[in-house]
Coordinates of all heavy atoms in Angstrom, one line a residue:
A297 N -128.3 26.0 4.5 CA -127.3 25.5 5.3 C -125.9 26.2 5.0 O -125.6 26.5 3.9 CB -127.1 24.0 5.1
V298 N -125.2 26.4 6.1 CA -123.9 27.1 6.0 C -122.8 26.2 6.7 O -123.0 25.8 7.8 CB -123.9 28.5 6.6 CG1 -122.6 29.2 6.6 CG2 -125.0 29.4 6.0
V299 N -121.7 26.0 6.0 CA -120.6 25.3 6.6 C -119.4 26.3 6.6 O -119.1 26.9 5.6 CB -120.2 24.0 5.9 CG1 -119.0 23.4 6.4 CG2 -121.4 23.1 5.8
S300 N -118.7 26.4 7.8 CA -117.5 27.2 7.8 C -116.4 26.5 8.5 O -116.6 25.7 9.4 CB -117.8 28.5 8.5 OG -118.1 28.3 9.9
T301 N -115.2 26.8 8.1 CA -114.0 26.2 8.8 C -113.0 27.4 9.0 O -113.0 28.4 8.3 CB -113.3 25.2 7.9 OG1 -112.9 25.8 6.7 CG2 -114.2 24.0 7.6
Q302 N -112.2 27.2 10.1 CA -111.2 28.2 10.4 C -110.0 27.5 11.0 O -110.2 26.6 11.8 CB -111.8 29.2 11.4 CG -110.8 30.2 11.9 CD -111.3 31.1 12.9 OE1 -112.5 31.1 13.3 NE2 -110.5 32.0 13.4
S303 N -108.9 27.8 10.6 CA -107.7 27.2 11.2 C -106.7 28.3 11.5 O -106.4 29.2 10.7 CB -107.1 26.2 10.2 OG -105.9 25.6 10.7
T304 N -106.1 28.3 12.7 CA -105.1 29.2 13.1 C -103.8 28.5 13.1 O -103.3 28.0 14.1 CB -105.4 29.8 14.5 OG1 -106.8 30.2 14.6 CG2 -104.5 30.9 14.9
G305 N -103.2 28.5 11.9 CA -101.9 27.8 11.8 C -102.1 26.3 12.2 O -103.0 25.7 11.8
E306 N -101.2 25.9 13.0 CA -101.3 24.5 13.5 C -101.8 24.5 15.0 O -101.8 23.5 15.6 CB -99.9 23.9 13.5 CG -99.4 23.6 12.1 CD -98.0 22.9 12.1 OE1 -97.6 22.4 13.2 OE2 -97.4 23.0 11.1
Q307 N -102.3 25.7 15.5 CA -102.7 25.8 16.8 C -104.1 25.3 17.1 O -104.4 24.6 18.1 CB -102.6 27.3 17.3 CG -101.2 27.8 17.2 CD -100.2 27.0 18.1 OE1 -100.6 26.7 19.2 NE2 -99.0 26.8 17.6
S308 N -105.1 25.7 16.2 CA -106.4 25.3 16.5 C -107.2 25.2 15.2 O -106.9 25.7 14.1 CB -107.1 26.3 17.4 OG -107.3 27.5 16.7
T309 N -108.3 24.4 15.2 CA -109.2 24.2 14.1 C -110.6 24.3 14.6 O -111.0 23.8 15.7 CB -109.0 22.8 13.5 OG1 -107.6 22.7 13.1 CG2 -109.9 22.6 12.3
N310 N -111.4 25.0 13.8 CA -112.8 25.2 14.2 C -113.7 24.9 12.9 O -113.4 25.5 11.9 CB -113.0 26.7 14.6 CG -114.4 26.9 15.2 OD1 -115.4 26.7 14.4 ND2 -114.5 27.3 16.4
I311 N -114.7 24.1 13.1 CA -115.6 23.7 12.0 C -117.0 24.0 12.5 O -117.3 23.5 13.6 CB -115.4 22.3 11.5 CG1 -114.0 22.0 11.1 CG2 -116.4 21.9 10.5 CD1 -113.6 20.6 10.8
G312 N -117.8 24.7 11.7 CA -119.2 24.9 12.1 C -120.2 24.6 11.0 O -119.8 24.7 9.8
F313 N -121.4 24.2 11.4 CA -122.5 23.9 10.5 C -123.7 24.6 11.1 O -124.1 24.4 12.2 CB -122.7 22.4 10.3 CG -123.8 22.1 9.5 CD1 -123.8 22.2 8.1 CD2 -125.0 21.6 10.0 CE1 -124.8 21.8 7.3 CE2 -126.1 21.3 9.3 CZ -126.0 21.4 7.9
Y314 N -124.4 25.3 10.2 CA -125.7 26.0 10.6 C -126.7 25.7 9.6 O -126.5 25.8 8.4 CB -125.4 27.5 10.7 CG -126.7 28.4 10.8 CD1 -127.3 28.6 12.0 CD2 -127.2 28.9 9.7 CE1 -128.5 29.3 12.1 CE2 -128.4 29.7 9.8 CZ -129.0 29.9 11.0 OH -130.2 30.6 11.0
V315 N -127.9 25.5 10.1 CA -129.1 25.3 9.2 C -130.3 25.9 9.8 O -130.5 25.8 11.0 CB -129.3 23.8 8.9 CG1 -129.7 23.0 10.1 CG2 -130.4 23.6 7.8
K316 N -131.1 26.6 9.0 CA -132.4 27.1 9.4 C -133.5 26.2 8.9 O -133.7 26.2 7.7 CB -132.5 28.6 8.9 CG -133.8 29.2 9.4 CD -133.8 30.7 9.2 CE -135.0 31.3 9.8 NZ -134.9 32.8 9.9
G317 N -134.1 25.5 9.8 CA -135.1 24.5 9.4 C -136.3 25.1 8.7 O -136.8 24.7 7.7
N318 N -136.8 26.1 9.4 CA -138.0 26.9 8.9 C -138.0 28.3 9.6 O -136.9 28.6 10.2 CB -139.3 26.1 9.1 CG -139.5 25.8 10.5 OD1 -139.2 26.5 11.5 ND2 -140.2 24.6 10.7
E319 N -139.0 29.0 9.6 CA -139.1 30.3 10.2 C -138.9 30.3 11.7 O -138.6 31.2 12.3 CB -140.4 31.0 9.8 CG -140.5 31.4 8.4 CD -139.3 32.4 8.0 OE1 -139.1 33.3 8.8 OE2 -138.7 32.2 6.9
Q320 N -139.2 29.1 12.3 CA -139.2 29.0 13.8 C -138.0 28.3 14.4 O -137.7 28.4 15.5 CB -140.5 28.4 14.3 CG -141.7 29.2 14.2 CD -142.4 29.1 12.9 OE1 -142.3 28.1 12.2 NE2 -143.1 30.2 12.5
V321 N -137.3 27.4 13.6 CA -136.3 26.5 14.1 C -135.0 26.8 13.4 O -134.9 26.8 12.2 CB -136.7 25.1 14.0 CG1 -135.7 24.1 14.5 CG2 -138.1 24.8 14.7
E322 N -133.9 26.9 14.3 CA -132.5 27.0 13.8 C -131.7 26.0 14.6 O -131.9 25.9 15.8 CB -132.0 28.4 13.9 CG -132.8 29.5 13.2 CD -132.3 30.9 13.6 OE1 -131.1 31.1 13.6 OE2 -133.1 31.7 14.0
C323 N -130.7 25.4 13.9 CA -129.8 24.5 14.6 C -128.3 24.7 14.1 O -128.1 25.2 13.0 CB -130.1 23.0 14.3 SG -131.7 22.5 14.9
A324 N -127.4 24.4 15.0 CA -126.0 24.6 14.7 C -125.1 23.6 15.4 O -125.5 23.2 16.5 CB -125.5 26.0 15.0
V325 N -124.0 23.2 14.8 CA -123.1 22.3 15.4 C -121.7 22.9 15.2 O -121.4 23.4 14.1 CB -123.1 20.9 14.8 CG1 -122.0 20.0 15.4 CG2 -124.5 20.2 15.0
E326 N -120.9 22.9 16.3 CA -119.5 23.4 16.2 C -118.5 22.5 16.8 O -118.8 21.9 17.8 CB -119.4 24.8 16.9 CG -118.1 25.4 16.9 CD -117.9 26.6 17.7 OE1 -118.4 26.6 18.9 OE2 -117.3 27.6 17.3
F327 N -117.4 22.3 16.1 CA -116.3 21.4 16.6 C -115.1 22.3 16.7 O -114.7 23.0 15.7 CB -116.0 20.2 15.6 CG -114.8 19.5 16.0 CD1 -114.8 18.6 17.0 CD2 -113.6 19.7 15.3 CE1 -113.6 17.9 17.4 CE2 -112.5 19.0 15.6 CZ -112.5 18.1 16.6
E328 N -114.4 22.3 17.8 CA -113.2 23.1 18.0 C -112.1 22.2 18.6 O -112.4 21.4 19.6 CB -113.5 24.2 18.9 CG -112.3 25.1 19.1 CD -112.6 26.3 20.0 OE1 -113.7 26.4 20.6 OE2 -111.7 27.2 20.1
Y329 N -110.9 22.2 18.0 CA -109.8 21.5 18.5 C -108.6 22.4 18.7 O -108.3 23.2 17.8 CB -109.4 20.4 17.5 CG -108.1 19.7 17.9 CD1 -108.1 18.8 19.0 CD2 -106.9 19.9 17.2 CE1 -106.9 18.2 19.3 CE2 -105.7 19.3 17.6 CZ -105.7 18.4 18.6 OH -104.6 17.8 19.0
V330 N -108.0 22.4 19.9 CA -106.9 23.2 20.3 C -105.7 22.3 20.5 O -105.7 21.6 21.5 CB -107.2 24.1 21.5 CG1 -105.9 25.0 21.9 CG2 -108.4 25.0 21.4
K331 N -104.8 22.3 19.6 CA -103.6 21.4 19.6 C -102.7 21.6 20.8 O -102.3 20.7 21.5 CB -102.8 21.6 18.3 CG -101.7 20.6 18.2 CD -100.9 20.7 16.9 CE -99.8 19.7 16.9 NZ -99.0 19.8 15.6
Q332 N -102.5 22.9 21.2 CA -101.6 23.2 22.3 C -102.1 22.6 23.6 O -101.3 22.1 24.4 CB -101.5 24.7 22.5 CG -100.5 25.2 23.5 CD -100.5 26.7 23.5 OE1 -101.4 27.4 23.1 NE2 -99.4 27.2 24.1
M333 N -103.4 22.6 23.8 CA -104.0 22.0 25.0 C -104.4 20.6 24.9 O -104.7 19.9 25.8 CB -105.2 22.9 25.5 CG -104.8 24.3 25.8 SD -106.2 25.3 26.2 CE -106.5 24.7 27.9
G334 N -104.4 20.1 23.6 CA -104.8 18.7 23.3 C -106.3 18.5 23.7 O -106.7 17.4 24.0
E335 N -107.1 19.5 23.5 CA -108.5 19.4 23.8 C -109.4 19.6 22.6 O -109.0 20.4 21.7 CB -108.9 20.4 24.9 CG -108.2 20.2 26.2 CD -108.6 21.2 27.3 OE1 -109.3 22.1 26.9 OE2 -108.3 21.0 28.4
S336 N -110.5 19.0 22.6 CA -111.5 19.3 21.6 C -112.9 19.3 22.3 O -113.1 18.7 23.3 CB -111.5 18.2 20.5 OG -111.9 17.0 21.0
I337 N -113.8 20.1 21.7 CA -115.1 20.2 22.2 C -116.1 20.3 21.0 O -115.8 21.0 20.0 CB -115.3 21.4 23.2 CG1 -116.6 21.3 23.9 CG2 -115.1 22.7 22.5 CD1 -116.7 22.2 25.1
T338 N -117.2 19.7 21.1 CA -118.3 19.8 20.1 C -119.5 20.3 20.8 O -119.9 19.8 21.9 CB -118.6 18.4 19.5 OG1 -117.4 17.9 18.9 CG2 -119.6 18.5 18.4
T339 N -120.2 21.3 20.2 CA -121.4 21.9 20.8 C -122.5 21.8 19.8 O -122.3 22.1 18.6 CB -121.1 23.4 21.1 OG1 -119.9 23.5 21.9 CG2 -122.3 24.0 21.8
F340 N -123.7 21.5 20.3 CA -124.9 21.5 19.5 C -125.8 22.6 20.1 O -126.0 22.6 21.3 CB -125.6 20.1 19.5 CG -127.0 20.2 19.0 CD1 -127.2 20.2 17.6 CD2 -128.1 20.2 19.8 CE1 -128.5 20.3 17.0 CE2 -129.4 20.2 19.2 CZ -129.6 20.3 17.9
G341 N -126.3 23.5 19.2 CA -127.2 24.5 19.7 C -128.4 24.6 18.9 O -128.4 24.2 17.7
Y342 N -129.5 25.2 19.4 CA -130.7 25.3 18.7 C -131.4 26.6 19.2 O -131.2 27.1 20.3 CB -131.6 24.1 18.9 CG -131.9 23.8 20.3 CD1 -133.1 24.3 20.9 CD2 -131.1 23.0 21.1 CE1 -133.4 24.1 22.2 CE2 -131.4 22.8 22.4 CZ -132.5 23.3 23.0 OH -132.8 23.0 24.3
C343 N -132.3 27.1 18.4 CA -133.2 28.2 18.7 C -134.6 27.9 18.1 O -134.7 27.6 17.0 CB -132.6 29.5 18.0 SG -133.6 30.9 18.4
V344 N -135.6 28.1 19.0 CA -137.0 27.9 18.6 C -137.7 29.2 18.9 O -137.7 29.6 20.0 CB -137.6 26.7 19.4 CG1 -139.1 26.5 19.0 CG2 -136.8 25.4 19.2
D345 N -138.3 29.7 17.9 CA -139.1 31.0 18.0 C -140.5 30.6 18.0 O -141.0 29.9 17.1 CB -138.8 31.9 16.8 CG -139.3 33.3 17.0 OD1 -139.8 33.6 18.1 OD2 -139.2 34.0 16.0
L346 N -141.2 31.0 19.1 CA -142.7 30.8 19.2 C -143.4 32.1 19.0 O -143.6 32.9 19.9 CB -143.0 30.2 20.6 CG -142.2 29.0 21.0 CD1 -142.3 28.7 22.4 CD2 -142.6 27.8 20.1
P347 N -143.7 32.5 17.7 CA -144.3 33.8 17.4 C -145.6 34.1 18.1 O -145.8 35.2 18.5 CB -144.4 33.8 15.9 CG -144.3 32.4 15.5 CD -143.6 31.7 16.5
K348 N -146.5 33.1 18.2 CA -147.8 33.4 18.9 C -147.6 33.7 20.3 O -148.4 34.5 20.9 CB -148.7 32.2 18.7 CG -149.2 32.0 17.3 CD -150.2 30.9 17.2 CE -150.6 30.7 15.8 NZ -151.6 29.6 15.6
G349 N -146.6 33.1 21.0 CA -146.4 33.4 22.4 C -145.4 34.5 22.6 O -145.1 34.8 23.8
L350 N -144.9 35.1 21.5 CA -143.9 36.1 21.6 C -142.7 35.7 22.4 O -142.1 36.4 23.2 CB -144.4 37.4 22.2 CG -145.5 38.1 21.3 CD1 -146.1 39.3 22.1 CD2 -145.0 38.6 20.0
S351 N -142.3 34.4 22.3 CA -141.2 33.8 23.0 C -140.2 33.2 22.1 O -140.4 32.8 21.0 CB -141.8 32.7 24.0 OG -142.7 33.3 24.8
K352 N -139.0 33.1 22.7 CA -137.9 32.4 22.0 C -137.1 31.6 23.0 O -136.8 32.0 24.1 CB -137.0 33.5 21.4 CG -135.9 33.0 20.5 CD -135.0 34.1 19.9 CE -135.8 34.7 18.8 NZ -135.0 35.6 17.9
F353 N -136.8 30.4 22.6 CA -136.0 29.5 23.5 C -134.7 29.1 22.7 O -134.8 28.6 21.6 CB -136.8 28.2 23.9 CG -136.0 27.4 24.8 CD1 -135.9 27.7 26.2 CD2 -135.4 26.2 24.4 CE1 -135.2 27.0 27.1 CE2 -134.7 25.4 25.3 CZ -134.6 25.8 26.6
R354 N -133.6 29.3 23.4 CA -132.3 29.0 22.8 C -131.6 28.0 23.8 O -131.7 28.2 25.0 CB -131.4 30.2 22.6 CG -131.9 31.1 21.5 CD -131.0 32.3 21.3 NE -130.9 33.2 22.4 CZ -131.7 34.2 22.7 NH1 -132.7 34.5 21.8 NH2 -131.5 35.0 23.7
G355 N -130.9 27.0 23.3 CA -130.3 26.1 24.2 C -129.0 25.5 23.5 O -128.9 25.6 22.3
S356 N -128.2 24.9 24.3 CA -127.0 24.2 23.8 C -126.6 23.1 24.8 O -126.9 23.1 25.9 CB -125.8 25.2 23.6 OG -125.4 25.7 24.8
I357 N -125.9 22.1 24.2 CA -125.3 21.1 25.0 C -123.9 20.8 24.3 O -123.8 20.8 23.1 CB -126.2 19.8 25.0 CG1 -125.6 18.8 26.0 CG2 -126.5 19.3 23.6 CD1 -126.6 17.7 26.3
D358 N -122.9 20.5 25.1 CA -121.6 20.2 24.5 C -121.0 19.0 25.2 O -121.5 18.4 26.1 CB -120.7 21.4 24.6 CG -120.3 21.8 26.0 OD1 -120.2 20.9 26.9 OD2 -120.1 23.0 26.2
T359 N -119.8 18.6 24.6 CA -119.1 17.4 25.1 C -118.3 17.6 26.3 O -117.7 16.7 26.8 CB -118.2 16.8 24.0 OG1 -117.3 17.9 23.6 CG2 -119.0 16.3 22.8
D360 N -118.4 18.8 26.9 CA -117.8 19.1 28.2 C -118.8 19.0 29.3 O -118.6 19.4 30.4 CB -117.1 20.5 28.2 CG -116.2 20.7 29.3 OD1 -115.5 19.7 29.7 OD2 -116.1 21.9 29.8
W361 N -120.0 18.4 29.0 CA -121.1 18.1 29.9 C -121.7 19.4 30.3 O -122.2 19.5 31.5 CB -120.7 17.3 31.0 CG -120.2 15.9 30.6 CD1 -118.9 15.5 30.5 CD2 -121.0 14.8 30.2 NE1 -118.9 14.2 30.0 CE2 -120.2 13.8 29.9 CE3 -122.4 14.6 30.2 CZ2 -120.7 12.5 29.5 CZ3 -122.9 13.4 29.7 CH2 -122.0 12.4 29.4
S362 N -121.8 20.4 29.5 CA -122.5 21.7 29.8 C -123.8 21.7 29.1 O -123.8 21.4 27.9 CB -121.6 22.9 29.4 OG -120.5 23.0 30.3
V363 N -124.8 22.1 29.8 CA -126.2 22.3 29.2 C -126.6 23.7 29.5 O -126.5 24.1 30.7 CB -127.2 21.3 29.8 CG1 -128.5 21.5 29.2 CG2 -126.7 19.8 29.6
A364 N -127.0 24.4 28.5 CA -127.4 25.8 28.7 C -128.8 26.1 28.0 O -129.1 25.5 27.0 CB -126.4 26.8 28.2
G365 N -129.5 27.0 28.6 CA -130.8 27.4 28.0 C -131.2 28.8 28.4 O -130.8 29.3 29.5
V366 N -131.8 29.5 27.4 CA -132.3 30.9 27.6 C -133.7 30.9 27.1 O -134.0 30.6 26.0 CB -131.4 31.9 26.9 CG1 -132.0 33.3 27.0 CG2 -130.0 31.9 27.4
L367 N -134.6 31.4 27.9 CA -136.0 31.6 27.5 C -136.3 33.1 27.6 O -136.1 33.8 28.6 CB -137.0 30.9 28.5 CG -138.5 31.2 28.3 CD1 -138.9 30.7 26.9 CD2 -139.3 30.6 29.4
E368 N -136.7 33.7 26.4 CA -137.0 35.1 26.3 C -138.5 35.3 26.0 O -139.0 34.7 25.0 CB -136.1 35.7 25.2 CG -136.3 37.2 25.1 CD -135.5 37.7 23.9 OE1 -134.2 37.8 24.1 OE2 -136.0 38.1 22.9
K369 N -139.1 36.1 26.8 CA -140.6 36.4 26.6 C -140.7 37.9 26.4 O -140.4 38.7 27.2 CB -141.3 35.9 27.9 CG -142.8 36.4 27.9 CD -143.6 35.7 26.9 CE -145.1 36.1 27.1 NZ -145.9 35.9 25.9
R370 N -141.2 38.2 25.2 CA -141.5 39.6 24.8 C -143.0 39.9 25.2 O -143.8 39.0 25.1 CB -141.2 39.9 23.4 CG -139.8 39.7 23.0 CD -139.5 39.9 21.5 NE -140.3 39.0 20.6 CZ -140.1 37.8 20.3 NH1 -139.0 37.2 20.8 NH2 -140.8 37.1 19.5
F371 N -143.2 41.2 25.5 CA -144.6 41.6 25.8 C -145.1 42.6 24.8 O -144.4 43.6 24.5 CB -144.7 42.2 27.2 CG -144.3 41.2 28.3 CD1 -143.0 41.1 28.8 CD2 -145.3 40.4 28.8 CE1 -142.7 40.2 29.8 CE2 -145.0 39.4 29.8 CZ -143.7 39.4 30.3
E372 N -146.2 42.3 24.2 CA -146.7 43.1 23.1 C -147.1 44.5 23.5 O -146.8 45.4 22.8 CB -147.9 42.4 22.5 CG -148.3 42.8 21.1 CD -149.3 41.9 20.4 OE1 -149.5 40.8 20.9 OE2 -149.9 42.4 19.4
A373 N -147.6 44.6 24.7 CA -148.1 45.9 25.2 C -147.0 46.8 25.8 O -147.2 48.0 26.0 CB -149.2 45.7 26.2
F374 N -145.8 46.2 26.1 CA -144.7 46.9 26.7 C -143.4 46.7 25.9 O -143.2 45.7 25.3 CB -144.5 46.3 28.1 CG -145.7 46.3 29.0 CD1 -146.5 45.2 29.2 CD2 -146.2 47.5 29.6 CE1 -147.6 45.2 30.0 CE2 -147.3 47.5 30.3 CZ -148.0 46.4 30.6
P375 N -142.6 47.8 26.0 CA -141.3 47.7 25.2 C -140.2 47.0 26.0 O -139.1 47.5 26.0 CB -141.0 49.2 25.1 CG -141.5 49.8 26.3 CD -142.8 49.1 26.7
F376 N -140.4 45.8 26.5 CA -139.3 45.1 27.2 C -139.6 43.6 27.1 O -140.6 43.1 26.7 CB -139.1 45.5 28.6 CG -140.3 45.2 29.6 CD1 -140.4 44.0 30.2 CD2 -141.2 46.2 29.9 CE1 -141.5 43.7 31.0 CE2 -142.3 45.9 30.7 CZ -142.4 44.7 31.3
A377 N -138.5 42.9 27.4 CA -138.5 41.4 27.3 C -138.0 40.9 28.7 O -137.2 41.5 29.3 CB -137.7 40.9 26.2
F378 N -138.6 39.8 29.1 CA -138.2 39.1 30.3 C -137.4 37.9 29.9 O -137.7 37.1 29.0 CB -139.5 38.7 31.1 CG -139.2 37.8 32.3 CD1 -138.7 38.4 33.4 CD2 -139.6 36.5 32.3 CE1 -138.5 37.6 34.5 CE2 -139.4 35.7 33.4 CZ -138.8 36.3 34.6
T379 N -136.3 37.6 30.6 CA -135.3 36.6 30.2 C -135.0 35.7 31.5 O -134.7 36.2 32.5 CB -134.0 37.2 29.7 OG1 -134.3 38.0 28.6 CG2 -133.1 36.1 29.2
L380 N -135.0 34.4 31.3 CA -134.6 33.4 32.2 C -133.5 32.6 31.6 O -133.6 32.2 30.4 CB -135.7 32.4 32.6 CG -136.9 33.0 33.4 CD1 -137.9 31.9 33.6 CD2 -136.4 33.4 34.8
S381 N -132.4 32.4 32.3 CA -131.3 31.6 31.7 C -130.7 30.7 32.8 O -130.8 30.9 34.0 CB -130.2 32.6 31.3 OG -129.6 33.3 32.3
G382 N -130.1 29.6 32.3 CA -129.4 28.7 33.1 C -128.3 27.9 32.5 O -128.3 27.7 31.2
L383 N -127.3 27.6 33.2 CA -126.1 26.8 32.7 C -125.8 25.8 33.8 O -125.7 26.1 35.0 CB -124.9 27.7 32.5 CG -123.6 27.1 32.2 CD1 -123.7 26.4 30.8 CD2 -122.5 28.1 32.2
L384 N -125.7 24.5 33.3 CA -125.4 23.4 34.2 C -124.2 22.7 33.6 O -124.3 22.2 32.5 CB -126.6 22.5 34.3 CG -126.5 21.3 35.2 CD1 -126.2 21.7 36.7 CD2 -127.8 20.5 35.2
N385 N -123.1 22.6 34.4 CA -122.0 21.8 34.0 C -121.9 20.6 34.9 O -121.5 20.7 36.1 CB -120.7 22.7 34.0 CG -119.5 22.0 33.5 OD1 -119.2 20.8 33.8 ND2 -118.8 22.7 32.6
H386 N -122.2 19.4 34.3 CA -122.2 18.2 35.1 C -120.8 17.8 35.5 O -120.6 17.3 36.6 CB -122.8 17.1 34.3 CG -124.3 17.3 34.1 ND1 -125.2 17.1 35.0 CD2 -124.9 17.8 33.0 CE1 -126.4 17.4 34.5 NE2 -126.3 17.8 33.3
K387 N -119.8 18.0 34.7 CA -118.4 17.7 34.9 C -117.8 18.4 36.1 O -117.1 17.8 36.9 CB -117.6 17.9 33.7 CG -116.2 17.3 33.7 CD -115.6 17.6 32.3 CE -114.2 17.1 32.2 NZ -113.6 17.3 30.9
K388 N -118.1 19.7 36.2 CA -117.6 20.5 37.3 C -118.5 20.7 38.5 O -118.2 21.3 39.4 CB -117.3 21.9 36.7 CG -116.2 22.0 35.7 CD -116.0 23.4 35.2 CE -114.9 23.4 34.1 NZ -114.8 24.7 33.5
N389 N -119.7 20.1 38.3 CA -120.8 20.1 39.3 C -121.1 21.6 39.7 O -121.2 22.0 40.9 CB -120.3 19.4 40.6 CG -121.5 19.0 41.5 OD1 -122.7 18.9 41.0 ND2 -121.3 18.8 42.7
Q390 N -121.3 22.4 38.6 CA -121.7 23.8 38.8 C -123.0 24.1 38.1 O -123.3 23.6 37.1 CB -120.6 24.7 38.2 CG -119.3 24.7 38.8 CD -118.3 25.6 38.1 OE1 -118.4 25.9 37.0 NE2 -117.2 26.0 38.8
A391 N -123.7 25.0 38.7 CA -125.0 25.5 38.1 C -125.1 27.0 38.3 O -124.7 27.5 39.3 CB -126.2 24.8 38.8
K392 N -125.5 27.7 37.2 CA -125.7 29.1 37.3 C -127.1 29.4 36.7 O -127.4 28.9 35.6 CB -124.6 29.8 36.5 CG -123.2 29.6 37.0 CD -122.2 30.2 36.1 CE -120.8 29.9 36.5 NZ -119.8 30.5 35.7
F393 N -127.8 30.3 37.3 CA -129.1 30.7 36.8 C -129.2 32.2 36.8 O -128.6 32.9 37.7 CB -130.2 30.1 37.7 CG -130.2 28.6 37.7 CD1 -129.5 27.9 38.7 CD2 -130.8 27.9 36.6 CE1 -129.5 26.5 38.6 CE2 -130.8 26.5 36.6 CZ -130.1 25.8 37.6
G394 N -130.0 32.8 35.9 CA -130.1 34.2 35.9 C -131.5 34.7 35.4 O -132.3 33.9 34.9
I395 N -131.8 35.9 35.7 CA -133.1 36.5 35.4 C -132.8 37.9 34.9 O -131.8 38.6 35.4 CB -134.0 36.5 36.6 CG1 -135.4 37.0 36.2 CG2 -133.5 37.3 37.7 CD1 -136.4 36.8 37.3
G396 N -133.5 38.4 33.9 CA -133.2 39.7 33.4 C -134.3 40.4 32.7 O -135.3 39.7 32.3
F397 N -134.2 41.7 32.4 CA -135.1 42.4 31.7 C -134.4 43.2 30.6 O -133.3 43.8 30.9 CB -135.9 43.4 32.5 CG -136.9 42.8 33.4 CD1 -136.6 42.5 34.7 CD2 -138.2 42.5 32.9 CE1 -137.5 41.9 35.6 CE2 -139.1 41.9 33.8 CZ -138.8 41.6 35.1
T398 N -134.9 43.2 29.4 CA -134.3 43.9 28.3 C -135.3 45.0 27.9 O -136.4 44.7 27.6 CB -134.0 43.0 27.1 OG1 -133.2 42.0 27.5 CG2 -133.3 43.8 26.0
I399 N -134.8 46.3 27.9 CA -135.7 47.4 27.6 C -135.3 47.8 26.2 O -134.2 48.1 25.9 CB -135.5 48.6 28.6 CG1 -135.9 48.1 30.0 CG2 -136.4 49.7 28.2 CD1 -135.6 49.1 31.1
G400 N -136.4 48.0 25.4 CA -136.2 48.5 24.0 C -136.8 47.7 23.0 O -137.2 46.7 23.0

């Protein structure tokens, strides 16, 4: 487990916590406060590695009502990965989705 803190004078504070549960699961929590704007946000993120399926799923949710996820599928016979991503912000009523290929 790793805990980190950062403070930029009296302007902002950032506190993070990261833990690797095992070889397949990682989790993190981050809290950020910006005094000038009077706003704070807390984010929970995770990563699950599925080695048998050559896949990885990463996701996050925060107190600004944003939910995000990325699914990455690697192919054993080919030198590329296929990626699907999505971001949904309930507060702003916005949704973004993406598809991609990573070569290498």
Side-chain angles (χ1 to χ4, degrees):
V298 176
V299 176
S300 69
T301 62
Q302 178 183 357
S303 181
T304 311
E306 294 182 16
Q307 299 299 320
S308 67
T309 301
N310 187 299
I311 300 170
F313 176 77
Y314 166 83
V315 63
K316 185 167 185 167
N318 56 36
E319 291 298 317
Q320 286 86 27
V321 179
E322 302 172 48
C323 296
V325 177
E326 178 187 44
F327 171 78
E328 183 177 10
Y329 173 72
V330 180
K331 184 177 181 181
Q332 185 178 19
M333 299 176 75
E335 294 180 354
S336 65
I337 191 166
T338 302
T339 304
F340 170 75
Y342 57 93
C343 179
V344 178
D345 191 8
L346 306 169
K348 288 185 180 180
L350 296 172
S351 301
K352 187 178 285 192
F353 184 76
R354 293 184 293 272
S356 68
I357 186 167
D358 65 30
T359 54
D360 196 31
W361 298 99
S362 290
V363 179
V366 176
L367 174 63
E368 180 181 292
K369 170 70 175 157
R370 296 178 305 278
F371 296 95
E372 199 169 344
F374 304 104
F376 64 85
F378 175 69
T379 306
L380 292 174
S381 64
L383 171 67
L384 180 62
N385 186 313
H386 295 280
K387 190 175 179 181
K388 296 178 183 176
N389 200 23
Q390 293 179 339
K392 300 176 183 179
F393 298 96
I395 186 170
F397 288 97
T398 304
I399 300 173

